[in-house]
């Protein structure tokens, strides 16, 4: 039997994903050691390999088949636009992708003005403004602390993740428009789905049941 490889998005999501996997009998004790710098972990009994990757790279590993399965946020899936099957909504890390900014920017959105949009998600922002709103905007790619952009005058609005809303509130910003809801998803390589059909569909079925029982 060959190994099935599972790519997990490094960080909190990896630990939450492992908790759900444990519920369906898939465990990997070694991976939980936060002091370890190891990247690959093996469960010899189940013939499973796990690795931790940067979230934005998980879809890349899965599309190329370097991982058969991945667990990653829907935001990353949408942004990366990779070819793969999205099979289970794990209901973890629920939040929204929103257009946010100072209340005064609401008007700019309503009148379809040429505005600057700062974001970690240029593809999601482009799709929203160009294809859904038909508004021409200038997208400015940032890598973190996106809320800074409208405060220091880099952009009029941002497209970012809102979970509790406290980062916006504490910086005098608010949600202006909602783009979509997101949560963690299990994704599968298209070839692996055929080659390892039995083992992978069993994991999908068990995971769906575990999610329902949550
Ligand atoms: C995310 C996101 C917001 C914040 C939203 O940032 O980009 O800044 O969390 O959460 P809240 O609505 O609960 O306040 P993250 O912590 O991932 O860091 P980043 O600034 O590096 O993107």
């Amino acid at each position: 039997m060959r190994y099935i490889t599972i790519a997990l998005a490094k960080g909190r999501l990896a630990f939450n994903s492992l908790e759900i996997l444990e519920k369906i009998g898939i465990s990997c004790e070694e991976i939980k050691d936060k002091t370890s710098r190891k990247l690959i972990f093996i469960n010899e009994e189940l013939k499973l390999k796990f690795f931790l990757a940067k979230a934005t790279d998980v879809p890349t590993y899965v599309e190329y088949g370097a991982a058969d399965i991945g667990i990653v946020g829907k935001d990353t899936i949408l942004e990366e636009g990779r070819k793969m099957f999205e099979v289970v909504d794990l209901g973890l890390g629920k939040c929204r992708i929103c257009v946010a900014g100072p209340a005064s920017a609401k008007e700019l959105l309503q009148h379809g003005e040429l505005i600057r949009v700062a974001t970690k998600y240029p593809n999601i922002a482009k799709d929203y403004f160009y294809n859904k709103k038909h508004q021409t905007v200038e997208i400015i790619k940032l890598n973190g602390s996106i809320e800074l952009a409208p405060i220091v005058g880099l952009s009029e609005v941002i497209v970012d993740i809102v979970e509790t809303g406290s980062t916006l509130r504490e910086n005098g910003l608010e949600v202006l428009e909602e783009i979509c809801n997101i949560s963690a998803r299990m994704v599968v390589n298209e070839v692996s789905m055929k080659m390892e059909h039995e083992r992978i569909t069993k994991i999908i079925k068990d995971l769906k049941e575990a999610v329902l029982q949550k």
Side-chain angles (χ1 to χ4, degrees):
M1 192 160 50
R2 81 164 181 96
Y3 286 99
I4 284 186
T5 302
I6 305 178
L8 301 173
K10 246 192 302 198
R12 190 155 45 113
L13 181 57
F15 290 98
N16 294 339
S17 310
L18 283 169
E19 260 175 41
I20 280 214
L21 289 171
E22 271 176 16
K23 285 193 188 140
I24 65 163
I26 293 178
S27 61
C28 186
E29 284 308 311
E30 235 190 330
I31 208 169
K32 291 190 205 157
D33 176 5
K34 287 186 183 167
T35 60
S36 167
R37 301 290 296 161
K38 227 172 132 171
L39 295 171
I40 298 243
F41 307 87
I42 295 176
N43 180 325
E44 205 50 70
E45 198 191 325
L46 298 174
K47 286 280 176 215
L48 292 173
K49 265 187 206 165
F50 298 85
F51 67 79
L52 296 171
K54 200 173 155 70
T56 48
D57 293 336
V58 168
T60 312
Y61 286 107
V62 173
E63 182 186 62
Y64 285 92
D68 302 290
I69 292 173
I71 295 181
V72 69
K74 177 73 178 172
D75 52 330
T76 308
I77 296 172
L78 290 170
E79 182 60 27
E80 297 301 312
R82 295 280 179 183
K83 248 170 92 46
M84 57 195 180
F85 296 128
E86 185 186 317
V87 291
V88 188
D89 181 349
L90 298 173
L92 300 170
K94 282 189 186 166
C95 39
R96 301 171 291 162
I97 298 187
C98 299
V99 180
S104 58
K106 214 174 266 175
E107 228 176 284
L108 304 173
L109 292 169
Q110 279 157 5
H111 299 150
E113 290 190 33
L114 177 60
I115 49 169
R116 291 165 301 173
V117 180
T119 185
K120 242 188 316 201
Y121 303 103
N123 293 326
I124 294 175
K126 238 179 259 169
D127 179 58
Y128 179 70
F129 280 101
Y130 292 1
N131 302 332
K132 298 212 176 76
K133 285 194 53 131
H134 306 290
Q135 178 173 1
T136 308
V137 295
E138 183 180 347
I139 311 267
I140 301 171
K141 166 88 193 307
L142 289 179
N143 297 298
S145 302
I146 316 297
E147 291 82 358
L148 260 178
I151 300 172
V152 299
L154 176 67
S155 70
E156 280 70 40
V157 298
I158 61 174
V159 164
D160 199 17
I161 282 179
V162 179
E163 193 180 351
T164 61
S166 51
T167 312
L168 290 179
R169 260 192 314 277
E170 286 177 30
N171 291 289
L173 306 171
E174 57 185 67
V175 170
L176 303 173
E177 289 175 1
E178 277 187 27
I179 299 182
C180 59
N181 289 317
I182 59 175
S183 54
R185 310 291 159 98
M186 172 174 154
V187 290
V188 178
N189 171 269
E190 292 184 347
V191 176
S192 307
M193 189 65 124
K194 289 197 190 84
M195 304 300 285
E196 292 293 339
H197 191 257
E198 205 172 310
R199 290 168 78 196
I200 292 180
T201 47
K202 166 95 169 77
I203 295 174
I204 294 173
K205 183 173 159 283
D206 290 352
L207 268 182
K208 282 186 177 164
E209 276 165 20
V211 169
L212 282 178
Q213 280 162 17
K214 251 200 325 160

